[in-house]
Amino acid sequence: MNMQEIILEEAVSRYLSQHRQTGIHLKAVLFDMDGVLFDSMPYHADSWHTVMERHGLHLSREEAFLHEGRTGAATINIVYHRQYGKDADPELIRQIYAEKSEEFARHPEPERMSGAWELVQKVKACGLTPVLVTGSGQATLLERLAHSYPDTFDRAHMVTAFDVKFGKPNPEPYLMGLVKAGVAANEAIVVENAPIGVQAGVAAGIFTVAVNTGPLDSKVLLDAGANLLFPSMQALCDNWEQVNDKLLSN
Ligand code: CA
């Protein structure tokens, strides 16, 4: 076995013992959106920073990456609490989130993450179901997906902010992803780039693959519980055959 095979082997046995499963029988791949399918996180981080500063709230671009995946209200309240020791007024939250969405829309259309399109094609060619699981609730979301990932995610295989009550790190979005795919936790994997998203995938009992596409230290993703880590979507795509073989035959 080469190094990569040993790492895979260990990751799978650790997952199986932690979750008291006897095997993974891969049928679906649950993809996060921002920072996984789209190279959109720098625009989100920038929009958060700009709008929060406008309201006297201090959130650096790097910290925005740490909170990636939380609902807008949760992100705003973390900063508001730090500065004022209480939750922000719901009207202020609504206002800031609306401004943040406007600011984001001023940026160019996000590009597909390098390697993501090719990976999705490989997943489909293996007969696996791709499912989208995002905390985003932007109105342009469906349009952008249909344009950049045609014939990939139909509405029946999509979990967005409109479908869930709790955001990540709560497992709910990924549990709902399993329901939409019609599979059990050990019949899917999660592909995530954010620590909070990794926590949600792990809490849902799903083998969670982290791709470090942003500026955070990889340790943050491993500490969040990632079962496997790749430095980019391209790296996951390049190693897909090996990952898939292992997850089909353990
Ligand atoms: Ca993400």
Side-chain angles (χ1 to χ4, degrees):
M1 279 202 291
N2 65 30
M3 197 57 206
Q4 184 68 20
E5 283 167 327
I6 296 170
I7 292 171
L8 253 171
E9 181 83 35
E10 285 179 0
V12 171
S13 11
R14 214 173 316 123
Y15 166 84
L16 295 178
S17 68
Q18 270 167 4
H19 295 277
R20 294 165 198 260
Q21 299 278 8
T22 50
I24 300 175
H25 312 290
L26 196 57
K27 290 180 181 166
V29 179
L30 313 188
F31 288 98
D32 169 53
M33 186 175 72
D34 289 299
V36 167
L37 295 177
F38 290 100
D39 191 6
S40 45
M41 270 314 294
Y43 300 159
H44 280 292
D46 191 62
S47 308
W48 270 120
H49 171 71
T50 303
V51 171
M52 294 287 264
E53 280 297 327
R54 193 184 294 159
H55 290 269
L57 295 164
H58 309 307
L59 175 71
S60 69
R61 288 176 180 84
E62 178 162 76
E63 192 190 347
F65 276 93
L66 271 180
H67 296 310
E68 180 191 348
R70 285 192 205 281
T71 62
T75 303
I76 292 162
N77 271 331
I78 282 172
V79 181
Y80 202 89
H81 250 271
R82 187 163 66 212
Q83 292 184 215
Y84 301 108
K86 58 179 183 181
D87 274 2
D89 186 76
E91 180 49 32
L92 178 65
I93 291 176
R94 198 201 54 73
Q95 175 66 29
I96 292 178
Y97 195 64
E99 286 180 35
K100 189 257 159 185
S101 300
E102 256 172 53
E103 187 66 30
F104 180 77
R106 266 196 271 275
H107 289 80
E109 180 88 350
E111 301 276 337
R112 283 196 301 235
M113 189 63 83
S114 174
W117 170 257
E118 200 187 336
L119 174 61
V120 169
Q121 300 317 307
K122 286 184 179 183
V123 163
K124 284 162 73 176
C126 295
L128 306 172
T129 308
V131 180
L132 178 86
V133 180
T134 178
S136 177
Q138 306 216 6
T140 53
L141 174 79
L142 298 180
E143 232 172 84
R144 179 146 57 96
L145 273 170
H147 171 73
S148 297
Y149 289 89
D151 304 319
T152 306
F153 303 101
D154 57 56
R155 193 65 191 90
H157 293 102
M158 218 182 262
V159 179
T160 73
F162 303 111
D163 299 298
V164 297
K165 197 163 150 200
F166 309 104
K168 301 168 186 176
N170 190 287
E172 184 200 21
Y174 281 115
L175 292 173
M176 193 165 287
L178 294 177
V179 172
K180 293 209 172 191
V183 302
N186 68 333
E187 295 174 329
I189 56 170
V190 163
V191 182
E192 259 290 351
N193 73 307
I196 282 153
V198 168
Q199 283 177 33
V202 171
I206 308 168
F207 188 91
T208 300
V209 180
V211 284
N212 193 0
T213 62
L216 301 178
D217 195 314
S218 290
K219 187 175 181 299
V220 184
L221 294 165
L222 293 171
D223 288 349
N227 297 98
L228 208 53
L229 176 84
F230 286 94
S232 64
M233 279 296 275
Q234 190 64 58
L236 171 58
C237 179
D238 294 345
N239 288 282
W240 173 253
E241 288 73 17
Q242 222 173 8
V243 173
N244 185 46
D245 285 353
K246 179 70 205 161
L247 296 181
L248 286 175
S249 66
N250 59 88

